[in-house]
Amino acid sequence: VTVDLRDNPDCIDAGLNLTEACASANAIQGVFENLEPDLPANAGSFRRVNILLRENCVVGIPRFPHCCSLATTSMADVVVNLTQSAFTQLGDGYGMSQGNLCFAAGMGVISGIDWRRGGEEYINQVYVMGGGGPAQPANDGMIYLLTPGGAGLLHRDSIEFDEQRFPVMVRSQRLVPDSGGAGRQRGGPATEVVFGPRHDPMTLSIMGGGAINPPLGVLGGRNANNSYHGHIKTDGSEESQPNGVMLTLGAGEFVRSIDNGGSGYGDPYLRDPEKVRTDVELGFVTRRGGERDYGVVLAKDGTVDEAKTRRLRAARIKDNVRADFDFGPEREAWEAVFDDATMGDLNNRLYALPKSIRQAARRRIFNHAVPDLPIAGDGTSLATVMADPDAIRARLADVMDDVFGGSEAD
């Protein structure tokens, strides 16, 4: 088996770059997750997987001075997801969908001082999030994946233990209905957790992920939910937070952290209606979600209304089921303007600029081309913002001529 990761961007000026070991291990994990369980996980088996990497690549072989401080997550989880889901291109019955991509606040690092211990400083990484798992040809996704790299192997914290050890209060922790991608096999549900400090201010790291590009459905399955982080103020108002932020919470303030569910596998209209009924009963899917996503209508007593279900499923437009990946309306709206050719040209020109002005030039270009570009998780639809691709292309051409002087990089 050969996994080719060379056709990816160069290293970036942030800690998201993978080390050579991580890029290789993530690809191998994605492969082995699709092989028989009795295959020995040893060097002899690993040597049968050929990982193609290139130097100075964000998922390859990093070169100084680029940082790899997040090499075990974020891009690592993307590589696992893409590798494991690529096997679905062999056809139904192969591969799996994609799992949670969000390194949520519920897995963040908290720090501050503890008034109960005379102002003693504390710092710790908590594990109170969930993360929905990928669906497989014959199985729904698991509830507690954490992330693709974690693969459900890490233990989630005891809330009571965390609250005893640190001056923190977890107000709620719940599974989010309709968050797992719909499919013949459903993705695992996302988890919402709300927590904050009890007395003194607390600083919390939010790495995020999966807010704009959630786990993608396969073979007609639907995408999972978009992740979200919100800062709940003392007056009850809530302010959405971007990816990659250090958030300081005061007493009486909370963070709302919603990770991704897993995406769906296969056409959701082929899911057994009784399984949908059970999902509604257990709270994984709402009644409205059952009708909208699965074409299953429940009677008042909670049983499947077989006649209405048959009519609803028969009325669906058949060509709305994709054969491979469901990238969703936001991704399609983005790539209607910023396709591979456009981004390749833009990146080539940016990398020809001095490093000290490169990021500022990039921000200027995108702010001008898409002035209303939403912050991840603020609820604004990217598809709505980019509803006029011709106008965006015209603004992009103008600002690129202005920034680069109308000449392409060598």
Side-chain angles (χ1 to χ4, degrees):
V1 176
T2 297
V3 180
D4 191 346
L5 297 176
R6 294 173 296 181
D7 187 19
N8 281 293
D10 289 342
C11 288
I12 61 174
D13 298 335
L16 295 171
N17 306 291
L18 298 190
T19 64
E20 181 176 1
C22 285
S24 301
N26 300 142
I28 289 174
Q29 178 184 339
V31 171
F32 271 69
E33 286 177 341
N34 287 282
L35 303 180
E36 295 300 320
D38 60 349
L39 190 69
N42 59 25
S45 297
F46 296 156
R47 281 197 297 267
R48 310 313 301 166
V49 183
N50 184 26
I51 312 298
L52 301 181
L53 307 173
R54 68 175 178 86
E55 293 192 3
N56 195 40
C57 179
V58 68
V59 290
I61 306 171
R63 286 292 173 255
F64 181 83
H66 293 104
C67 175
C68 302
S69 58
L70 290 174
T72 58
T73 186
S74 298
M75 292 305 302
D77 296 320
V78 172
V79 171
V80 175
N81 264 347
L82 291 177
T83 306
Q84 70 187 26
S85 60
F87 279 76
T88 63
Q89 297 177 48
L90 295 173
D92 198 342
Y94 295 93
M96 59 180 70
S97 68
Q98 300 183 358
N100 168 53
L101 283 168
C102 181
F103 194 103
M107 198 169 67
V109 175
I110 60 173
S111 61
I113 59 173
D114 191 342
W115 93 98
R116 303 169 305 175
R117 296 179 171 86
E120 178 182 294
E121 295 181 336
Y122 70 90
I123 183 170
N124 190 61
Q125 184 173 7
V126 295
Y127 285 86
V128 292
M129 61 170 280
Q136 301 176 27
N139 301 292
D140 294 334
M142 65 187 298
I143 291 177
Y144 178 58
L145 176 77
L146 193 72
T147 60
L153 298 177
L154 282 82
H155 291 283
R156 183 156 55 185
D157 289 357
S158 159
I159 290 176
E160 291 78 9
F161 184 84
D162 279 348
E163 290 180 334
Q164 289 177 15
R165 187 178 179 192
F166 305 106
V168 62
M169 180 177 72
V170 180
R171 193 166 77 178
S172 63
Q173 183 188 65
R174 70 183 183 99
L175 298 177
V176 181
D178 295 333
S179 56
R184 189 188 70 227
Q185 305 299 334
R186 172 184 46 74
T191 297
E192 176 196 79
V193 60
V194 179
F195 66 100
R198 293 175 55 190
H199 190 275
D200 296 302
M202 177 182 78
T203 300
L204 166 69
S205 65
I206 302 176
M207 297 316 303
I212 297 175
N213 296 305
L216 304 178
V218 297
L219 299 175
R222 305 287 177 80
N223 294 351
N225 66 302
N226 297 78
S227 65
Y228 170 80
H229 287 96
H231 178 186
I232 302 175
K233 309 293 184 61
T234 54
D235 61 3
S237 62
E238 185 166 339
E239 182 180 73
S240 64
Q241 298 297 303
N243 289 326
V245 66
M246 298 293 289
L247 178 64
T248 298
L249 301 171
E253 296 185 328
F254 297 88
V255 63
R256 186 191 310 278
S257 173
I258 303 176
D259 50 44
N260 299 124
S263 60
Y265 187 110
D267 183 356
Y269 269 48
L270 298 180
R271 185 167 176 82
D272 183 345
E274 279 299 315
K275 289 186 176 182
V276 178
R277 183 199 62 76
T278 300
D279 284 344
V280 172
E281 181 180 343
L282 295 176
F284 296 149
V285 175
T286 63
R287 279 177 172 259
R288 182 172 178 271
E291 294 186 17
R292 178 191 64 228
D293 299 330
Y294 296 94
V296 174
V297 181
L298 300 184
K300 290 182 179 180
D301 64 358
T303 60
V304 176
D305 188 320
E306 296 183 1
K308 289 184 179 180
T309 295
R310 283 194 299 270
R311 287 198 297 271
L312 182 57
R313 287 187 163 187
R316 184 189 61 166
I317 299 173
K318 300 299 182 185
D319 62 5
N320 71 343
V321 177
R322 302 163 192 268
D324 41 28
F325 292 105
D326 178 8
F327 291 106
E330 296 197 342
R331 175 74 172 270
E332 291 183 352
W334 179 263
E335 293 194 348
V337 177
F338 299 101
D339 55 16
D340 287 347
T342 301
M343 290 303 298
D345 177 43
L346 173 60
N347 288 332
N348 285 336
R349 296 194 194 193
L350 285 171
Y351 278 110
L353 296 176
K355 194 172 184 179
S356 59
I357 65 171
R358 195 179 296 161
Q359 292 300 320
R362 186 179 188 278
R363 283 194 298 270
R364 178 184 171 190
I365 289 169
F366 282 104
N367 287 340
H368 183 86
V370 194
D372 299 321
L373 190 65
I375 297 174
D378 73 354
T380 304
S381 170
L382 184 65
T384 301
V385 172
M386 302 190 66
D388 189 352
D390 291 335
I392 297 174
R393 291 190 196 97
R395 291 195 296 268
L396 178 63
D398 289 342
V399 72
M400 286 181 67
D401 284 344
D402 190 28
V403 171
F404 301 117
S407 61
E408 295 189 13
D410 294 333

